[in-house]
Amino acid sequence: KAGVTQTPRYLIKTRGQQVTLSCSPISGHRSVSWYQQTPGQGLQFLFEYFSETQRNKGNFPGRFSGRQFSNSRSEMNVSTLELGDSALYLCASRRRGGAYEQYFGPGTRLTVT
Amino acid sequence: DQQVKQNSPSLSVQEGRISILNCDYTNSMFDYFLWYKKYPAEGPTFLISISSIKDKNEDGRFTVFLNKSAKHLSLHIVPSQPGDSAVYFCAAKETSGSRLTFGEGTQLTVNP
């Protein structure tokens, strides 16, 4: 079974621009979560989607948004990029129905200059 | 407010010996705990988990212990192998949802 895939793997953007990251979950997984990892910090929860609905949201500004499509694929958007948004963005998927283990993709390394 | 803490940023052990990684938490609403391993340039890989109704879970060389009264969990790796060298994250889930709260990670180095 294929794992979680994320595109692109690397991205360089300029401050003030916006960016869209994509995530395809494991087949059969309907829940997708997004995390941000910055140097020296653990993974910070951004949001979770299930059945095209945002179920949970972390403490990030409104510049960070996401959506999920009917095939469970998800996108994350960051508008008006700031230097501090430079990070590894990780997507994770899981089954529903009592399974709490999340399976991560390789991440998208975003650099804002 | 860091609800999940891994106080040791790094740990170095000899091949064949036991590696013990520790994690403390403050939120009494956490009811499920997980350990992940992360290599550079890869996403975290799920290792092992434990429900709050248990105090031990074992899977091959990996054992997780949970002490609810102390709000402490640990991951034991026996025997340690050089391929275990990676950053290890502990994570916790609240009873009311599915979001995971992660610690800062511990860099484990297993020396041949």
Side-chain angles (χ1 to χ4, degrees), chain B residues 73-112:
Chain B
L73 68 155
S74 61
L75 175 68
H76 293 208
I77 306 173
V78 184
S80 300
Q81 300 172 353
D84 295 330
S85 297
V87 177
Y88 289 77
F89 291 98
C90 68
K93 184 198 80 66
E94 289 187 33
T95 52
S96 59
S98 58
R99 65 180 282 179
L100 298 181
T101 301
F102 283 81
E104 308 95 321
T106 296
Q107 172 69 57
L108 173 66
T109 302
V110 181
N111 302 302

Side-chain angles (χ1 to χ4, degrees), chain B residues 1 4 7 17 20 25 29 39 41 44 46-47 54 56 64 73 78 80-81 89 91 93 95-96 99-100 105 107 111:
Chain B
D1 175 31
V4 178
N7 291 316
R17 306 296 289 270
I20 300 176
Y25 63 96
M29 300 304 292
Y39 294 118
F46 169 71
L47 274 176
K54 295 186 175 182
K56 177 182 175 181
V64 56
L73 68 155
V78 184
S80 300
Q81 300 172 353
F89 291 98
K93 184 198 80 66
T95 52
S96 59
R99 65 180 282 179
L100 298 181
Q107 172 69 57
N111 302 302

Side-chain angles (χ1 to χ4, degrees), chain A residues 9 37 48 94 100-102 105, chain B residues 32 36 41 43 46 49 98:
Chain A
R9 290 294 310 277
Q37 185 185 16
E48 179 189 12
R94 70 178 183 92
Y100 303 117
E101 291 79 14
Q102 296 184 14
Chain B
Y32 200 81
Y36 284 83
F46 169 71
S49 60
S98 58

Side-chain angles (χ1 to χ4, degrees), chain A residues 68-88:
Chain A
Q68 186 181 35
F69 303 94
S70 58
N71 62 357
S72 296
R73 191 177 69 85
S74 177
E75 288 183 347
M76 189 192 108
N77 185 276
V78 187
S79 62
T80 320
L81 283 166
E82 300 177 0
L83 296 179
D85 297 333
S86 294
L88 180 67

